[in-house]
């Protein structure tokens, strides 16, 4: 039997979603699948691969103020017909701070993935999940000062605790991510 092939498209702002895309690709290869990974920020419309040559498509997005990245929004909106008629399996994930909060997880898992896809006309995701994100206030962070400030305010409201300057926490649960990937490979 020939190797199954998957496409992974992602949009990231601070790196968490990108890291998850890389991890899923690595797991795919370890499990005998071919995986191609595309950052939607750098992917011109005429370079988007023909979905029909693949068995599965995964899309990942960063969340900022409840929204996907511009690249993910544009990609899903522009390709909704191709995604709806795709014969393989479709999965979606997000990286978001609220996903790491047990009280918000069930809500954001649906709201940021399935509901947001349906609003843009993409139906029937086969798998979706929400993973925690990066709370990176260090000097090497990809976050600008305004984003750091906004996230600190949100973190204080959510946890009641002030995030320290220079602190770094990775809220991604790698076991959850691996289970998601393996589940996706299984349904292909
Ligand atoms: C300005 C700002 C706004 C954010 N808004 C949300 C939000 O509305 N919901 C949420 O769950 N996480 C929110 N986050 C947390 C991000 O989703 C988290 O940092 C995640 O790592 C983003 O993915 P990325 O690292 O791939 O860009 C926000 C972060 C920042 C800096």
């Amino acid at each position: 039997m020939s190797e199954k092939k998957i496409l992974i498209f992602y949009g990231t702002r601070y790196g968490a979603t990108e890291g998850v895309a890389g991890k899923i690709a690595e797991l795919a290869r370890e499990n005998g699948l071919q995986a191609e990974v595309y950052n939607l920020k750098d992917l011109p419309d005429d370079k988007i691969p023909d979905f029909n040559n693949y068995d599965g498509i995964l899309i990942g997005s960063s969340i900022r103020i409840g929204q996907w990245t511009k690249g993910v929004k544009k990609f899903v909106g522009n390709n909704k017909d191709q995604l709806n008629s795709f014969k393989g399996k479709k999965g979606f994930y997000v990286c978001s701070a609220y996903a790491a909060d047990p009280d918000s997880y069930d809500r954001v898992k649906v709201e940021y993935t399935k509901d947001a896809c349906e609003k843009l006309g993409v139906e029937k995701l086969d798998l979706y999940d929400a993973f925690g994100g990066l709370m990176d206030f260090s000097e090497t962070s990809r976050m600008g000062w305004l984003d750091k400030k906004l996230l600190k305010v949100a973190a204080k409201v959510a946890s009641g605790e002030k995030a320290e300057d220079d602190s770094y926490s990775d809220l991604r649960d790698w076991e959850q991510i691996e289970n998601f990937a393996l589940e996706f490979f299984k349904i292909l």
Side-chain angles (χ1 to χ4, degrees), residues 11-18 61-67 95-99 108 112 132-135 143 146-148 150-151:
T12 194
R13 297 181 177 96
Y14 322 115
T17 314
E18 181 168 56
S61 186
S62 153
I63 296 291
R64 184 182 185 275
I65 320 188
Q67 301 292 313
C95 285
S96 108
Y98 289 134
V108 299
Y112 290 160
L134 285 176
M135 312 288 272
M143 266 178 225
L146 179 62
D147 279 4
K148 279 186 184 168
L150 288 168
L151 189 56

Side-chain angles (χ1 to χ4, degrees), residues 100-118:
D101 168 13
D103 293 335
S104 308
Y105 168 73
D106 287 339
R107 174 179 64 83
V108 299
K109 175 181 167 176
V110 178
E111 197 176 299
Y112 290 160
T113 61
K114 183 174 175 288
D115 288 357
C117 279
E118 284 175 5

Side-chain angles (χ1 to χ4, degrees), residues 21-185:
K23 180 69 191 172
I24 295 175
E26 188 187 309
L27 288 165
R29 291 171 195 135
E30 282 170 18
N31 282 273
L33 278 74
Q34 281 184 36
E36 289 171 34
V37 186
Y38 295 94
N39 184 344
L40 289 171
K41 197 163 169 261
D42 308 324
L43 184 66
D45 290 345
D46 61 354
K47 294 276 184 297
I48 296 173
D50 181 350
F51 297 166
N52 295 317
N53 296 329
Y54 297 83
D55 302 287
I57 298 174
L58 271 179
I59 305 168
S61 186
S62 153
I63 296 291
R64 184 182 185 275
I65 320 188
Q67 301 292 313
W68 296 342
T69 66
K70 272 194 205 129
V72 172
K73 243 187 250 182
K74 182 168 162 257
F75 174 79
V76 171
N78 286 354
N79 293 284
K80 65 172 189 293
D81 295 337
Q82 293 89 317
L83 288 167
N84 284 331
S85 61
F86 179 56
K87 297 272 186 291
K89 301 294 178 188
K90 293 192 287 278
F92 202 103
Y93 72 89
V94 289
C95 285
S96 108
Y98 289 134
D101 168 13
D103 293 335
S104 308
Y105 168 73
D106 287 339
R107 174 179 64 83
V108 299
K109 175 181 167 176
V110 178
E111 197 176 299
Y112 290 160
T113 61
K114 183 174 175 288
D115 288 357
C117 279
E118 284 175 5
K119 273 192 195 137
L120 286 177
V122 172
E123 308 284 343
K124 298 201 181 83
L125 291 179
D126 297 288
L127 196 68
Y128 49 90
D129 208 349
F131 309 127
L134 285 176
M135 312 288 272
D136 183 2
F137 302 112
S138 70
E139 266 181 33
T140 55
S141 171
R142 291 194 203 173
M143 266 178 225
W145 68 271
L146 179 62
D147 279 4
K148 279 186 184 168
K149 208 173 167 138
L150 288 168
L151 189 56
K152 274 186 190 167
V153 172
K156 175 100 182 2
V157 173
S159 69
E161 282 170 39
K162 188 174 172 287
E164 294 300 323
D165 286 344
D166 252 9
S167 64
Y168 173 93
S169 37
D170 184 347
L171 305 180
R172 290 170 295 182
D173 176 341
W174 294 101
E175 199 180 324
Q176 180 196 7
I177 292 163
E178 182 165 349
N179 288 337
F180 171 83
L182 296 179
E183 179 68 28
F184 190 66
F185 306 156

